[in-house]
Amino acid sequence: GLGPFPVGSYEFMVRAGNSIGWGEWSDVVVVTFDDPKWEKQQKKEAEHQVLREALLEELQGSLEEFEELQQENKLTIHRASNLLFRLQVLLRRARGVRSLGKLELLRKAESAVHFLERWRDRKEAFAEWKQTLSEMKNQ
C-alpha cells in the first residue's frame, strides 16, 4: 500500500476557502494509487499458488497409481522404475516450492520412493541371481 491508502481508485472532491469564505465544490477527480511492486508480488504469489496446486495434483495422482499397482499386484521392474523416477522428480520440485503444505502427502511420497527403491533393488538382485544360476547350469 501507499502510506495510509491501500492500492486502488479514490474519488475526491475539493473546495477552496479564502478570507471571504468557501468556494464551490469541484468536479469529482479520480485518483488511482497503484503500486507496481505490490502488484508484481500479488502476481507472483498467484503463479506460485497455481504451481503448488498442479504439483500437489500430480503427486496425488502418482501416489494413487502406486497404491493401485501395489494392491492389484501389477508392479513390474519397468513400472516401478518409471514411477520411482516420476516421484523423485516431483519430490525434488516440491522441496523447491515454498509453503507447499500437505506434509502428509510428502511423507507418503517419500515412503513410496523408499519402498520402490527397495523393491526394485530386490527384484534386480533376484534377476541377476537367476541369470547367474542359469549360466552355471549351462556350463
Side-chain angles (χ1 to χ4, degrees), residues 32-103:
T32 304
F33 290 131
D34 60 348
D35 186 348
K37 224 172 171 180
W38 179 82
E39 289 168 10
K40 191 175 176 184
Q41 180 66 27
Q42 292 298 98
K43 188 177 175 188
K44 204 174 190 178
E45 283 176 18
E47 288 170 358
H48 273 294
Q49 184 62 31
V50 168
L51 285 174
R52 271 194 297 269
E53 288 169 8
L55 182 61
L56 288 172
E57 219 172 272
E58 215 174 323
L59 198 53
Q60 184 67 48
S62 293
L63 282 173
E64 286 170 4
E65 182 183 343
F66 165 68
E67 288 167 3
E68 190 179 305
L69 287 172
Q70 203 178 4
Q71 285 170 355
E72 295 175 11
N73 219 5
K74 291 184 175 179
L75 209 52
T76 62
I77 289 181
H78 182 71
R79 285 180 184 150
S81 295
N82 283 342
L83 201 51
L84 180 61
F85 176 75
R86 224 175 342 149
L87 282 170
Q88 286 171 331
V89 167
L90 289 171
L91 277 172
R92 203 171 307 121
R93 280 177 37 207
R95 287 187 193 106
V97 174
R98 289 181 293 126
S99 64
L100 188 65
K102 302 280 186 186
L103 290 174

Coordinates of all heavy atoms in Angstrom, one line a residue, residues 32-103:
T32 N -5.9 7.4 -8.8 CA -5.6 6.0 -8.7 C -4.2 5.8 -8.1 O -3.3 6.3 -8.5 CB -5.6 5.3 -10.1 OG1 -6.8 5.5 -10.7 CG2 -5.4 3.8 -10.0
F33 N -4.2 5.0 -7.0 CA -3.0 4.7 -6.3 C -2.6 3.3 -6.8 O -3.3 2.4 -6.5 CB -3.1 4.7 -4.8 CG -3.3 6.0 -4.2 CD1 -4.3 6.3 -3.3 CD2 -2.5 7.1 -4.6 CE1 -4.5 7.5 -2.7 CE2 -2.6 8.3 -4.0 CZ -3.7 8.6 -3.1
D34 N -1.5 3.2 -7.5 CA -1.1 1.9 -7.9 C 0.3 1.7 -7.3 O 1.1 2.6 -7.1 CB -1.1 1.6 -9.4 CG -0.3 2.6 -10.2 OD1 0.2 3.6 -9.6 OD2 -0.1 2.4 -11.4
D35 N 0.6 0.4 -7.1 CA 1.9 0.1 -6.5 C 2.5 -1.1 -7.3 O 2.1 -2.2 -7.1 CB 1.7 -0.3 -5.1 CG 3.0 -0.5 -4.3 OD1 4.1 -0.6 -5.0 OD2 3.0 -0.6 -3.1
P36 N 3.3 -0.8 -8.3 CA 3.8 -1.8 -9.2 C 4.5 -3.0 -8.5 O 4.3 -4.1 -8.8 CB 4.8 -1.1 -10.1 CG 4.6 0.3 -9.9 CD 3.9 0.5 -8.7
K37 N 5.2 -2.6 -7.4 CA 5.9 -3.6 -6.6 C 4.9 -4.6 -6.0 O 5.0 -5.8 -6.0 CB 6.7 -2.9 -5.5 CG 8.1 -3.4 -5.3 CD 8.7 -2.5 -4.3 CE 10.1 -3.1 -3.9 NZ 10.7 -2.2 -2.9
W38 N 3.8 -4.0 -5.4 CA 2.8 -4.8 -4.7 C 2.1 -5.7 -5.8 O 1.8 -6.9 -5.5 CB 1.8 -3.9 -4.1 CG 0.7 -4.6 -3.4 CD1 0.7 -5.1 -2.1 CD2 -0.7 -4.8 -3.9 NE1 -0.5 -5.7 -1.8 CE2 -1.4 -5.5 -2.9 CE3 -1.3 -4.5 -5.1 CZ2 -2.7 -5.9 -3.1 CZ3 -2.6 -4.9 -5.2 CH2 -3.3 -5.5 -4.2
E39 N 1.7 -5.1 -6.9 CA 1.0 -5.8 -8.0 C 1.9 -7.0 -8.5 O 1.4 -8.1 -8.7 CB 0.7 -4.9 -9.1 CG -0.5 -4.0 -8.8 CD -0.7 -2.8 -9.8 OE1 -0.1 -2.9 -10.9 OE2 -1.4 -1.9 -9.5
K40 N 3.2 -6.7 -8.6 CA 4.1 -7.8 -9.1 C 4.2 -8.9 -8.1 O 4.1 -10.1 -8.4 CB 5.5 -7.2 -9.2 CG 6.5 -8.0 -9.9 CD 7.8 -7.3 -10.1 CE 8.9 -8.1 -10.8 NZ 10.2 -7.4 -10.9
Q41 N 4.2 -8.6 -6.8 CA 4.2 -9.6 -5.7 C 2.9 -10.4 -5.7 O 3.0 -11.6 -5.6 CB 4.4 -8.9 -4.3 CG 4.4 -9.8 -3.2 CD 5.6 -10.7 -3.1 OE1 6.6 -10.4 -3.7 NE2 5.5 -11.8 -2.5
Q42 N 1.8 -9.7 -5.9 CA 0.5 -10.4 -6.0 C 0.5 -11.4 -7.1 O 0.0 -12.6 -7.0 CB -0.7 -9.4 -6.1 CG -0.9 -8.6 -4.9 CD -1.3 -9.4 -3.7 OE1 -0.4 -9.6 -2.8 NE2 -2.5 -9.8 -3.6
K43 N 1.0 -11.0 -8.3 CA 1.0 -11.8 -9.5 C 1.9 -13.0 -9.2 O 1.5 -14.2 -9.6 CB 1.5 -11.0 -10.6 CG 1.4 -11.7 -12.0 CD 1.9 -10.8 -13.1 CE 1.9 -11.6 -14.4 NZ 2.5 -10.8 -15.5
K44 N 3.0 -12.8 -8.6 CA 4.0 -13.9 -8.3 C 3.4 -14.9 -7.4 O 3.5 -16.1 -7.5 CB 5.2 -13.2 -7.7 CG 6.5 -14.0 -7.8 CD 7.7 -13.2 -7.3 CE 9.0 -13.9 -7.6 NZ 10.1 -13.1 -7.2
E45 N 2.7 -14.4 -6.3 CA 2.0 -15.3 -5.4 C 1.0 -16.1 -6.1 O 0.8 -17.3 -5.8 CB 1.5 -14.5 -4.2 CG 2.5 -14.1 -3.2 CD 2.0 -13.2 -2.1 OE1 0.7 -13.2 -1.9 OE2 2.8 -12.5 -1.4
A46 N 0.2 -15.5 -7.0 CA -0.9 -16.2 -7.7 C -0.2 -17.3 -8.6 O -0.7 -18.5 -8.6 CB -1.7 -15.3 -8.5
E47 N 0.9 -17.0 -9.2 CA 1.6 -18.0 -10.0 C 2.1 -19.2 -9.2 O 2.0 -20.3 -9.6 CB 2.7 -17.4 -10.8 CG 2.3 -16.5 -11.9 CD 3.4 -15.6 -12.5 OE1 4.6 -15.7 -12.1 OE2 3.2 -14.9 -13.5
H48 N 2.7 -18.8 -8.0 CA 3.1 -19.9 -7.1 C 2.0 -20.8 -6.7 O 2.2 -22.0 -6.5 CB 3.8 -19.2 -5.9 CG 5.3 -18.9 -6.1 ND1 6.2 -19.9 -6.3 CD2 5.9 -17.8 -6.1 CE1 7.4 -19.4 -6.4 NE2 7.3 -18.1 -6.4
Q49 N 0.8 -20.2 -6.4 CA -0.3 -20.9 -5.9 C -0.7 -21.9 -7.0 O -1.0 -23.1 -6.7 CB -1.5 -20.0 -5.6 CG -2.7 -20.7 -5.1 CD -2.4 -21.4 -3.7 OE1 -1.6 -21.0 -2.9 NE2 -3.1 -22.5 -3.5
V50 N -0.7 -21.5 -8.3 CA -1.1 -22.4 -9.4 C -0.1 -23.5 -9.5 O -0.5 -24.7 -9.7 CB -1.2 -21.6 -10.7 CG1 -1.2 -22.5 -11.9 CG2 -2.4 -20.6 -10.7
L51 N 1.2 -23.2 -9.4 CA 2.2 -24.2 -9.4 C 2.1 -25.2 -8.3 O 2.2 -26.4 -8.5 CB 3.6 -23.6 -9.3 CG 4.1 -22.9 -10.6 CD1 5.5 -22.2 -10.3 CD2 4.3 -23.9 -11.7
R52 N 1.8 -24.7 -7.1 CA 1.7 -25.6 -5.9 C 0.5 -26.6 -6.1 O 0.6 -27.8 -5.9 CB 1.3 -24.8 -4.7 CG 2.6 -24.3 -3.9 CD 2.2 -23.8 -2.5 NE 1.3 -22.6 -2.5 CZ 1.8 -21.4 -2.5 NH1 3.1 -21.1 -2.5 NH2 0.9 -20.4 -2.5
E53 N -0.6 -26.0 -6.6 CA -1.8 -26.9 -6.8 C -1.5 -27.9 -7.9 O -1.9 -29.1 -7.7 CB -3.0 -26.0 -7.2 CG -3.5 -25.2 -6.0 CD -4.6 -24.2 -6.3 OE1 -5.0 -24.2 -7.5 OE2 -4.9 -23.4 -5.4
A54 N -0.9 -27.6 -9.0 CA -0.6 -28.5 -10.1 C 0.4 -29.6 -9.5 O 0.2 -30.8 -9.8 CB 0.0 -27.8 -11.2
L55 N 1.4 -29.2 -8.8 CA 2.3 -30.1 -8.2 C 1.7 -31.1 -7.3 O 1.9 -32.3 -7.4 CB 3.4 -29.4 -7.5 CG 4.6 -30.2 -6.9 CD1 5.3 -31.0 -8.0 CD2 5.6 -29.3 -6.2
L56 N 0.8 -30.6 -6.4 CA 0.1 -31.5 -5.5 C -0.8 -32.5 -6.2 O -0.9 -33.6 -5.8 CB -0.7 -30.7 -4.5 CG 0.1 -29.9 -3.4 CD1 -0.8 -29.0 -2.6 CD2 0.8 -30.9 -2.5
E57 N -1.5 -32.0 -7.2 CA -2.4 -32.8 -8.0 C -1.6 -34.0 -8.7 O -2.0 -35.1 -8.7 CB -3.0 -32.0 -9.1 CG -4.5 -32.3 -9.3 CD -5.1 -31.3 -10.3 OE1 -5.6 -30.3 -9.8 OE2 -5.1 -31.5 -11.5
E58 N -0.4 -33.6 -9.3 CA 0.4 -34.6 -9.9 C 1.0 -35.6 -8.9 O 1.0 -36.8 -9.2 CB 1.6 -33.9 -10.6 CG 2.0 -34.5 -11.9 CD 3.1 -33.6 -12.6 OE1 3.0 -32.4 -12.5 OE2 4.0 -34.2 -13.2
L59 N 1.4 -35.1 -7.8 CA 1.9 -36.0 -6.7 C 0.8 -37.0 -6.2 O 1.1 -38.2 -6.1 CB 2.4 -35.1 -5.6 CG 3.4 -35.8 -4.6 CD1 4.6 -36.4 -5.2 CD2 3.8 -34.7 -3.6
Q60 N -0.4 -36.4 -6.0 CA -1.5 -37.3 -5.6 C -1.8 -38.3 -6.6 O -2.0 -39.5 -6.3 CB -2.8 -36.4 -5.4 CG -4.0 -37.1 -4.8 CD -3.7 -37.6 -3.4 OE1 -3.3 -36.9 -2.5 NE2 -4.0 -38.8 -3.1
G61 N -1.8 -38.0 -7.9 CA -2.1 -38.9 -9.0 C -1.0 -40.0 -9.0 O -1.4 -41.2 -9.2
S62 N 0.2 -39.7 -8.8 CA 1.3 -40.7 -8.9 C 1.2 -41.6 -7.7 O 1.4 -42.8 -7.8 CB 2.7 -40.0 -8.8 OG 2.9 -39.3 -10.1
L63 N 0.8 -41.1 -6.5 CA 0.6 -41.9 -5.3 C -0.5 -42.9 -5.5 O -0.5 -44.0 -5.1 CB 0.4 -41.1 -4.1 CG 1.7 -40.5 -3.5 CD1 1.4 -39.5 -2.4 CD2 2.7 -41.5 -3.0
E64 N -1.6 -42.4 -6.1 CA -2.8 -43.2 -6.3 C -2.4 -44.4 -7.3 O -2.8 -45.5 -7.1 CB -4.0 -42.4 -6.9 CG -4.6 -41.6 -5.8 CD -5.6 -40.6 -6.3 OE1 -5.9 -40.6 -7.6 OE2 -6.1 -39.8 -5.5
E65 N -1.7 -44.0 -8.3 CA -1.2 -45.1 -9.3 C -0.3 -46.1 -8.6 O -0.5 -47.3 -8.8 CB -0.4 -44.4 -10.4 CG 0.0 -45.4 -11.5 CD 0.9 -44.7 -12.5 OE1 0.9 -43.4 -12.6 OE2 1.6 -45.4 -13.2
F66 N 0.5 -45.6 -7.7 CA 1.4 -46.6 -6.9 C 0.6 -47.5 -6.1 O 0.8 -48.7 -6.1 CB 2.4 -45.7 -6.1 CG 3.1 -46.5 -5.0 CD1 4.0 -47.5 -5.3 CD2 2.7 -46.3 -3.6 CE1 4.6 -48.3 -4.3 CE2 3.4 -47.1 -2.7 CZ 4.3 -48.0 -3.0
E67 N -0.4 -46.9 -5.3 CA -1.2 -47.8 -4.5 C -2.1 -48.8 -5.3 O -2.2 -49.9 -4.9 CB -2.1 -46.9 -3.6 CG -1.4 -46.1 -2.5 CD -2.1 -45.0 -1.9 OE1 -3.3 -44.8 -2.2 OE2 -1.5 -44.3 -1.0
E68 N -2.5 -48.3 -6.4 CA -3.3 -49.2 -7.3 C -2.5 -50.4 -7.8 O -2.9 -51.5 -7.8 CB -3.9 -48.4 -8.5 CG -4.9 -49.1 -9.3 CD -5.4 -48.1 -10.4 OE1 -5.8 -47.0 -10.1 OE2 -5.2 -48.5 -11.6
L69 N -1.3 -50.1 -8.3 CA -0.4 -51.1 -8.8 C 0.0 -52.1 -7.7 O 0.1 -53.3 -7.9 CB 0.9 -50.5 -9.4 CG 0.8 -49.8 -10.7 CD1 2.0 -49.1 -11.1 CD2 0.4 -50.8 -11.8
Q70 N 0.2 -51.5 -6.5 CA 0.6 -52.4 -5.4 C -0.6 -53.3 -4.9 O -0.4 -54.5 -4.7 CB 1.0 -51.5 -4.2 CG 1.9 -52.1 -3.2 CD 2.3 -51.2 -2.1 OE1 1.8 -50.0 -2.1 NE2 3.2 -51.6 -1.2
Q71 N -1.8 -52.7 -4.9 CA -3.0 -53.5 -4.5 C -3.3 -54.6 -5.5 O -3.6 -55.7 -5.1 CB -4.2 -52.6 -4.3 CG -4.1 -51.8 -3.0 CD -5.2 -50.7 -2.9 OE1 -6.0 -50.6 -3.9 NE2 -5.3 -50.0 -1.8
E72 N -3.2 -54.3 -6.7 CA -3.5 -55.3 -7.8 C -2.3 -56.2 -8.1 O -2.4 -57.0 -9.0 CB -4.0 -54.5 -9.0 CG -5.3 -53.8 -8.8 CD -5.7 -53.0 -10.0 OE1 -5.1 -53.1 -11.1 OE2 -6.7 -52.1 -9.9
N73 N -1.2 -56.0 -7.4 CA 0.0 -56.8 -7.6 C 0.5 -56.8 -9.0 O 0.8 -57.8 -9.6 CB -0.4 -58.3 -7.2 CG 0.8 -58.9 -6.5 OD1 1.8 -58.2 -6.2 ND2 0.7 -60.2 -6.2
K74 N 0.4 -55.6 -9.6 CA 0.8 -55.4 -11.0 C 2.1 -54.6 -11.2 O 2.4 -54.0 -12.2 CB -0.2 -54.6 -11.8 CG -1.5 -55.4 -12.0 CD -2.5 -54.7 -12.9 CE -3.7 -55.5 -13.2 NZ -4.7 -54.8 -14.0
L75 N 2.9 -54.6 -10.1 CA 4.2 -53.9 -10.1 C 5.3 -54.7 -10.8 O 5.5 -55.8 -10.5 CB 4.6 -53.6 -8.6 CG 5.4 -52.4 -8.3 CD1 4.8 -51.1 -8.9 CD2 5.6 -52.2 -6.9
T76 N 5.8 -54.1 -11.9 CA 6.9 -54.7 -12.6 C 8.1 -53.8 -12.4 O 8.0 -52.7 -12.0 CB 6.6 -54.9 -14.1 OG1 6.5 -53.5 -14.6 CG2 5.4 -55.7 -14.3
I77 N 9.3 -54.4 -12.7 CA 10.5 -53.5 -12.6 C 10.4 -52.3 -13.4 O 10.8 -51.2 -13.0 CB 11.8 -54.4 -13.0 CG1 12.1 -55.4 -11.9 CG2 13.0 -53.4 -13.2 CD1 13.3 -56.2 -12.1
H78 N 9.9 -52.4 -14.7 CA 9.7 -51.3 -15.6 C 8.8 -50.2 -14.9 O 9.1 -49.1 -14.9 CB 9.2 -51.8 -16.9 CG 9.0 -50.7 -17.9 ND1 10.1 -50.1 -18.5 CD2 7.9 -50.1 -18.4 CE1 9.7 -49.2 -19.3 NE2 8.4 -49.1 -19.3
R79 N 7.6 -50.7 -14.5 CA 6.6 -49.8 -13.9 C 7.2 -49.1 -12.6 O 7.0 -47.9 -12.4 CB 5.3 -50.5 -13.5 CG 4.5 -50.8 -14.7 CD 3.2 -51.5 -14.3 NE 2.4 -51.9 -15.5 CZ 1.7 -53.0 -15.5 NH1 1.6 -53.7 -14.5 NH2 1.0 -53.2 -16.6
A80 N 7.9 -49.9 -11.8 CA 8.4 -49.4 -10.6 C 9.5 -48.4 -10.9 O 9.5 -47.3 -10.2 CB 9.0 -50.6 -9.8
S81 N 10.3 -48.6 -11.9 CA 11.4 -47.6 -12.2 C 10.8 -46.3 -12.7 O 11.2 -45.3 -12.3 CB 12.3 -48.2 -13.3 OG 13.0 -49.3 -12.7
N82 N 9.8 -46.4 -13.6 CA 9.1 -45.2 -14.1 C 8.5 -44.4 -13.0 O 8.6 -43.2 -12.9 CB 8.1 -45.6 -15.1 CG 8.7 -45.9 -16.5 OD1 9.8 -45.6 -16.7 ND2 7.9 -46.6 -17.3
L83 N 7.7 -45.1 -12.1 CA 7.0 -44.5 -11.0 C 8.0 -43.9 -10.0 O 7.8 -42.8 -9.6 CB 6.2 -45.5 -10.3 CG 5.0 -45.0 -9.5 CD1 4.1 -44.0 -10.2 CD2 4.1 -46.2 -9.0
L84 N 9.1 -44.6 -9.8 CA 10.1 -44.1 -8.9 C 10.8 -42.8 -9.4 O 10.9 -41.8 -8.7 CB 11.2 -45.2 -8.7 CG 12.4 -44.9 -7.8 CD1 11.9 -44.6 -6.4 CD2 13.4 -46.0 -7.8
F85 N 11.1 -42.8 -10.7 CA 11.7 -41.6 -11.3 C 10.7 -40.4 -11.2 O 11.1 -39.4 -10.8 CB 12.0 -41.9 -12.8 CG 12.5 -40.7 -13.5 CD1 13.8 -40.2 -13.3 CD2 11.7 -40.0 -14.4 CE1 14.3 -39.1 -13.9 CE2 12.2 -38.9 -15.1 CZ 13.5 -38.4 -14.8
R86 N 9.4 -40.7 -11.6 CA 8.4 -39.6 -11.5 C 8.3 -39.0 -10.1 O 8.2 -37.8 -9.9 CB 7.1 -40.1 -12.0 CG 6.4 -39.2 -12.9 CD 5.2 -39.7 -13.6 NE 5.0 -41.1 -13.5 CZ 3.8 -41.7 -13.4 NH1 2.7 -41.0 -13.4 NH2 3.8 -43.0 -13.4
L87 N 8.2 -39.9 -9.1 CA 8.0 -39.5 -7.7 C 9.2 -38.7 -7.2 O 9.1 -37.7 -6.5 CB 7.8 -40.7 -6.8 CG 6.3 -41.2 -6.8 CD1 6.3 -42.6 -6.1 CD2 5.4 -40.2 -6.2
Q88 N 10.4 -39.2 -7.6 CA 11.7 -38.5 -7.2 C 11.7 -37.0 -7.8 O 12.0 -36.1 -7.1 CB 12.9 -39.2 -7.7 CG 13.2 -40.5 -6.8 CD 14.3 -41.4 -7.4 OE1 14.5 -41.4 -8.6 NE2 14.9 -42.1 -6.5
V89 N 11.3 -36.9 -9.1 CA 11.3 -35.6 -9.7 C 10.2 -34.7 -9.0 O 10.5 -33.5 -8.7 CB 10.9 -35.7 -11.2 CG1 10.6 -34.4 -11.9 CG2 12.1 -36.4 -12.0
L90 N 9.0 -35.3 -8.7 CA 8.0 -34.5 -8.1 C 8.4 -34.0 -6.7 O 8.2 -32.9 -6.3 CB 6.7 -35.3 -8.0 CG 6.0 -35.4 -9.4 CD1 4.8 -36.4 -9.2 CD2 5.5 -34.1 -9.9
L91 N 9.1 -34.9 -6.0 CA 9.6 -34.6 -4.6 C 10.6 -33.5 -4.7 O 10.6 -32.6 -3.8 CB 10.1 -35.8 -3.9 CG 9.1 -36.7 -3.2 CD1 9.7 -38.0 -2.7 CD2 8.4 -36.0 -2.1
R92 N 11.5 -33.6 -5.7 CA 12.5 -32.6 -5.8 C 11.9 -31.2 -6.1 O 12.3 -30.2 -5.5 CB 13.5 -32.9 -6.9 CG 14.8 -32.3 -6.8 CD 15.9 -32.8 -7.8 NE 16.0 -34.3 -7.7 CZ 15.8 -35.1 -8.8 NH1 15.5 -34.6 -10.0 NH2 16.0 -36.4 -8.7
R93 N 10.9 -31.2 -7.0 CA 10.2 -30.0 -7.3 C 9.4 -29.5 -6.0 O 9.4 -28.3 -5.8 CB 9.2 -30.2 -8.4 CG 9.9 -30.1 -9.8 CD 9.0 -30.4 -10.9 NE 7.7 -29.8 -10.9 CZ 6.6 -30.3 -11.5 NH1 6.7 -31.4 -12.2 NH2 5.4 -29.8 -11.4
A94 N 8.8 -30.4 -5.3 CA 8.0 -30.0 -4.1 C 8.9 -29.4 -3.0 O 8.5 -28.4 -2.4 CB 7.3 -31.2 -3.5
R95 N 10.2 -29.8 -2.9 CA 11.1 -29.3 -1.9 C 11.4 -27.8 -2.3 O 11.8 -27.0 -1.4 CB 12.3 -30.1 -1.8 CG 12.0 -31.4 -1.0 CD 13.3 -32.2 -0.7 NE 13.0 -33.5 -0.3 CZ 13.1 -34.6 -1.0 NH1 13.6 -34.5 -2.3 NH2 12.8 -35.8 -0.6
G96 N 11.4 -27.5 -3.6 CA 11.8 -26.2 -4.0 C 10.6 -25.2 -3.9 O 10.8 -24.0 -4.0
V97 N 9.4 -25.7 -3.7 CA 8.2 -24.8 -3.6 C 8.0 -24.3 -2.2 O 8.0 -25.2 -1.3 CB 7.0 -25.5 -4.1 CG1 5.7 -24.6 -3.9 CG2 7.1 -25.8 -5.6
R98 N 7.9 -23.0 -2.0 CA 7.7 -22.5 -0.6 C 6.3 -22.8 -0.1 O 5.4 -22.9 -0.9 CB 7.9 -21.0 -0.6 CG 9.3 -20.5 -0.8 CD 9.4 -19.0 -0.8 NE 8.7 -18.5 -1.9 CZ 7.8 -17.5 -1.9 NH1 7.4 -17.0 -0.7 NH2 7.2 -17.1 -3.0
S99 N 6.2 -23.1 1.2 CA 4.9 -23.3 1.8 C 4.0 -24.2 1.1 O 2.9 -23.8 0.7 CB 4.3 -21.9 2.2 OG 3.9 -21.3 1.0
L100 N 4.4 -25.4 0.8 CA 3.6 -26.3 0.0 C 2.5 -26.8 0.8 O 1.4 -27.1 0.3 CB 4.5 -27.5 -0.5 CG 3.8 -28.4 -1.5 CD1 3.5 -27.7 -2.8 CD2 4.7 -29.6 -1.7
G101 N 2.7 -26.9 2.1 CA 1.6 -27.5 3.0 C 1.6 -29.0 2.7 O 2.5 -29.6 2.1
K102 N 0.5 -29.6 3.0 CA 0.3 -31.0 2.7 C 1.5 -31.9 3.0 O 2.0 -32.7 2.2 CB -0.1 -31.2 1.2 CG -1.3 -30.4 0.7 CD -2.5 -31.1 1.1 CE -3.7 -30.4 0.5 NZ -5.0 -30.9 0.8
L103 N 2.0 -31.8 4.2 CA 3.2 -32.5 4.6 C 2.9 -34.0 4.6 O 3.8 -34.8 4.3 CB 3.6 -32.1 6.0 CG 4.2 -30.7 6.1 CD1 4.5 -30.3 7.5 CD2 5.5 -30.6 5.2

